[in-house]
Amino acid sequence: MSAPNARRRREIRAELAVRDGARCWYCATEAEPDALTIDHLIPQSRLRTWLLAALVLACAPCNEAKADLLPQLLLRPAPGRFGPGLVAGGAPAA
């Protein structure tokens, strides 16, 4: 699948903000959807897709830190808690 044009990227970003909230999936920082980047959970070097199920919103620092890694290599959950993006910010772990 080829990369979407700018209009479609704006639509994807808006759809992801509705699905996941307008926050970085990794650090849970809230932002306007246009200030967040579209990140491929599984790097495009491993899986070339633009399906919404494979995409999340990320702030630029987190997206750059993740680079070509799988998300589990970036997320470092605190003991007894899920990592950012896996529970709402401030929510207690089950």
Side-chain angles (χ1 to χ4, degrees):
M1 173 183 245
S2 62
N5 62 28
R7 181 187 57 76
R8 180 63 186 134
R9 285 178 192 242
R10 283 190 300 275
E11 292 170 354
I12 289 170
R13 195 175 286 111
E15 290 173 37
L16 293 172
V18 168
R19 184 188 76 188
D20 300 332
R23 64 179 58 234
C24 174
W25 194 85
Y26 302 103
C27 70
T29 299
E30 290 188 47
E32 290 295 319
D34 288 342
L36 297 167
T37 62
I38 299 170
D39 182 56
H40 294 79
L41 280 173
I42 300 172
Q44 281 192 303
S45 62
R46 297 178 187 221
L47 179 67
R48 289 210 171 273
T49 184
W50 280 85
L51 294 174
L52 287 180
L55 304 172
V56 294
L57 293 176
C59 65
C62 285
N63 199 347
E64 290 173 16
K66 179 180 169 278
D68 205 24
L69 298 173
L70 293 171
Q72 62 266 35
L73 299 176
L74 175 70
L75 295 173
R76 301 279 190 264
R81 290 184 54 94
F82 287 109
L86 300 179
V87 295

